[in-house]
Amino acid sequence: MKAFQDFYAEDFSHCYGCGSLNEHGHQIKSYWEGEESVAKYLPKKYHTAIPGYVYGGLLASLIDCHSTGTAAAASYKFENREMDTEPVLRFVTGSLKVDYLAPTPMGVELEIRGKVIEVTPKKAVVESRILAGDVVCAKGYVVAVRMPASMMKK
Amino acid sequence: MKAFQDFYAEDFSHCYGCGSLNEHGHQIKSYWEGEESVAKYLPKKYHTAIPGYVYGGLLASLIDCHSTGTAAAASYKFENREMDTEPVLRFVTGSLKVDYLAPTPMGVELEIRGKVIEVTPKKAVVESRILAGDVVCAKGYVVAVRMPASMMKK
């Protein structure tokens, strides 16, 4: 099954969070699972906050990319189109809010689960949560804005 | 001049965003400049969003660590103490909000400037902005929570 990010054209595949061509980045992959979108990520051992816990900036990054990817996928759905059809829909982050609810343990594969709250032709709002096992460690709220044509040109 | 982060004990110097002992991390350094706190950071060339622009997750990370560092420094100030005195004050992020106002260009040293909005014995609120030259690219709002004693023990 192709992830949302696998449909991104080469120019959009350099993102540090989700670009498959960014060898230094997180390369997250997001999929639908029913009405929710899901990505999984095992933090690297240097992604520490204080020893034993995951760095909050990484969690913000995971929420960011998973949400813009979910926004794109939801917008294709909204237009009743497959993700490999034209015109291409890409999103940038307008705003990002993260509430840190519990310390996130290292050494556990994290699950990022997104729910689409709103889709319009100009934006999408995605709420998400990061789970370590059954524990919700962080909640995210992202307003993703459809990328203007000027940024999509080379 | 020592940065806020230079006062962190070894156990608190592994943070991916600001730990001087994390060789993979950003190692940001924050200082007072009058009433504002300032840090500077030149994104690595792989910190891309789409080519030419900086990845938003990195900006969130810079805001996060600069704000918790500023929260600590402001709390020592509030208690009329130097940062090398006991008891040690460290902060974790309770919530983080970032508004992305303009695309952030690559190849420019960014300036993160923080303002302390509120300090209490339990938390501090820091507003910040990220500048690329004269352009404010992002604004941040962080509620930093004083680290509980249980997290500060080994």
Side-chain angles (χ1 to χ4, degrees), chain A residues 24-26 41-48 54 58 106-107, chain B residues 16:
Chain A
H24 297 280
H26 309 318
Y41 187 79
L42 178 63
K44 305 278 187 293
K45 64 181 178 182
Y46 50 78
H47 286 139
T48 41
V54 176
L58 175 73
M106 291 294 283
Chain B
Y16 188 70

Side-chain angles (χ1 to χ4, degrees), chain A residues 6 14-15 98 110 123 153:
Chain A
D6 295 331
H14 298 279
C15 175
V98 182
L110 304 175
K123 68 171 188 178
K153 282 185 218 148

Side-chain angles (χ1 to χ4, degrees), chain A residues 65-76:
Chain A
C65 276
H66 181 62
S67 300
T68 49
T70 299
S75 297
Y76 281 99

Side-chain angles (χ1 to χ4, degrees), chain B:
Chain B
M1 190 170 58
K2 278 173 91 169
F4 304 161
Q5 292 84 3
D6 294 332
F7 292 100
Y8 293 2
E10 195 172 311
D11 277 358
F12 294 94
S13 295
H14 298 280
C15 174
Y16 188 70
C18 60
S20 56
L21 300 177
N22 192 324
E23 59 180 313
H24 298 280
H26 309 319
Q27 301 195 344
I28 68 160
K29 302 279 185 195
S30 307
Y31 304 89
W32 289 119
E33 204 177 284
E35 289 298 301
E36 290 196 339
S37 61
V38 180
K40 292 180 182 184
Y41 187 79
L42 178 64
K44 304 278 190 294
K45 64 181 181 184
Y46 49 79
H47 286 139
T48 40
I50 57 171
Y53 298 105
V54 176
Y55 173 53
L58 174 72
L59 303 180
S61 300
L62 297 176
I63 286 171
D64 185 9
C65 276
H66 181 62
S67 299
T68 50
T70 299
S75 297
Y76 281 98
K77 236 191 200 181
F78 181 72
E79 296 191 359
N80 258 317
R81 294 198 284 126
E82 297 296 323
M83 287 190 78
D84 55 1
T85 60
E86 305 264 342
V88 169
L89 304 176
R90 284 291 92 80
F91 284 76
V92 290
T93 310
S95 73
L96 164 71
K97 170 103 177 359
V98 182
D99 290 309
Y100 296 93
L101 305 179
T104 306
M106 291 294 281
V108 178
E109 187 176 63
L110 305 174
E111 196 174 60
I112 309 109
R113 302 191 71 95
K115 268 186 201 160
V116 181
I117 302 301
E118 187 189 347
V119 183
T120 75
K122 288 194 175 166
K123 69 171 187 177
V125 177
V126 179
E127 272 184 9
S128 55
R129 56 199 197 283
I130 294 187
L131 293 122
D134 292 335
V135 179
V136 178
C137 299
K139 283 192 175 179
Y141 184 90
V142 167
V143 179
V145 180
R146 191 153 155 195
M147 201 180 280
S150 62
M151 278 184 85
M152 295 187 63
K153 282 185 216 144
K154 287 280 279 182

